[in-house]
Amino acid sequence: GIDGIPPIRLGPWLLNESSTVFVLIWLTVLAGWWFAYNLLGSRVGRTIRALRGGAVLMASFGSDAFRLRLTLFVLASGYATLAGWLFAHTHRYVSHTPFSLHASIDYVFMMVVGGMAQLGSALLGSTVYIGLNNFLQDLLPLFTNRGAQVNSLVFALLFLLILERMPGGIGRPLARLAAKWRKPRHINTELPVPSAALTERTMPEAGSLLLRVDGAVRRFGGLVAVNKVSFDIRAGEIVGLIGPNGAGKSTMFNLLTGTLALSEGNVQFLGQSIKALTQRQIALRGVARTFQHVKLRPAMTLLENVALGAHARGRCGLWRGGLGLDQEEEARIMAEAMRQLARVGLADRAYELAGSLPLGTQRLLEIARALASDPVLIMLDEPAAGLRLLEKQALARLLSALRTEGVTVLVVEHDMEFVMSLVDRIVVMNFGSKIAEGRPEEVRSDPEVQAAYLGSDV
Ligand code: ADP
Ligand code: MG
């Protein structure tokens, strides 16, 4: 061990009594809490919370999950360092004994009891643990001389009981109560008005070459899922990529977004090859996407889900977020998210949780999120799948409206009727190859296309 550690001296104050150290410890807890609270509500914090559902979503909006996880690890170490410093100077002596395996189990216990979903749970869990532990240590010796064993037994039982009865910890029901109590105020809150909007990209001139796919090939072992496909997309068009199931549409989509690597061929976006770029780098150049299997964060509000899309348009990092110095930028991001929600007709539900939406509406929400990234090209993978007729019509209206606003759209679809009335041009794939390309009416009368769709359910 290390002994002779001096008490903490802050300027003129020597904190050598437990009452003064007590105050310092609580001030530190409050400061740490305040920082974490601010951080979780900030741009970086939203991404941290969104990471829980997997890293693909945020990569497609330009965030670097590895870097973020590393940053979080360092931040958590910072908190642990502060705690260790307080511990050492309070006890004036450190050894390895309090940091045995048992300590790790204690921390897990605190986390399970409190729950992990809310910030307050950390405090709740540790308070319950420390309080109960102290109480039992005072109480048990009055009844038994095997206090330590009985103590472990009580905690083991409590642990099992909580896992069994309250899997989210005791923090969750409390948070739910608090949310109920807070809700009305939240909804009536007007968003702060920013002094300016987020900066927007300069869009390429309508009709100029945006994307060029040149002899794209993708093999999966012996299977050629995409076989020498070439086509162009010009700025301001809606292009449909259609074909029967298994034609290679999703694979093509993944090649264009950088989710899969090309086996051969090339893809150029705005005149530059994106062949060697990662998903994240392609997203940063202005390609936004939605997912065939909707990727929303059900526990976040509609507004927050859309704000995730604007991630790459903000600059405030961990420190500014944690210290609450990001208000102006947050106001801009939220105003932008609200504007995109209004564009898809969901502004009045901004504060509902995304998990409560029906599937059709979830797809609209994904489109709003993609739009929030200020994309040059927006790519939709089977946006009409699973939608009812009215929802399909609403989606078609939205996409036409986007074209009027100059957004370029690539729709990957299985449902031919849905795209026919909507798009300017269609590329048809079958068994990995392009079999036709042209205006909808040309493609519809093409014998090869009719043959490909015969027997499929369209
Ligand atoms: P579509 O989206 O047009 O229905 P896909 O692009 O999903 O078609 O699939 C095209 C072909 O590639 C299918 O035969 C499919 O089984 C195959 N395929 C797709 N992804 C993979 C993969 N990751 N591994 C192996 N085969 C795949
Ligand atoms: Mg598909």
Side-chain angles (χ1 to χ4, degrees), residues 245-246 248-251 292 381-382 412:
N245 266 328
K249 306 180 298 290
S250 291
T251 308
Q292 184 172 353
D381 195 359
E382 305 222 6
V412 174

Side-chain angles (χ1 to χ4, degrees), residues 61 210 233 237-239 253 257 269 286-290 343 364 366-381 398-399 402-403 406-412:
F61 287 109
L210 192 62
I233 298 180
E237 312 186 274
I238 302 187
V239 174
F253 191 100
T257 50
F269 181 66
V287 179
R289 65 171 297 183
T290 63
R343 219 165 164 191
L364 290 181
E366 281 218 329
I367 295 176
R369 184 177 61 197
L371 288 171
S373 70
D374 186 28
V376 176
L377 172 65
I378 170 166
M379 307 201 355
L380 315 171
D381 195 359
L398 170 64
L399 296 184
L402 290 182
R403 169 175 42 197
V407 184
T408 314
V409 185
L410 176 69
V411 194
V412 174

Side-chain angles (χ1 to χ4, degrees), residues 218 220 225-226 248-256 260 381:
R218 172 67 202 201
F220 292 110
V226 170
K249 306 180 298 290
S250 291
T251 308
M252 189 71 226
F253 191 100
N254 289 333
L255 293 175
L256 299 181
L260 283 174
D381 195 359

Side-chain angles (χ1 to χ4, degrees), residues 422-437:
L422 180 71
V423 303
D424 300 300
R425 226 149 38 78
I426 291 183
V427 174
V428 191
M429 286 179 73
N430 196 20
F431 295 118
S433 304
K434 182 173 94 174
I435 58 170
E437 179 176 357

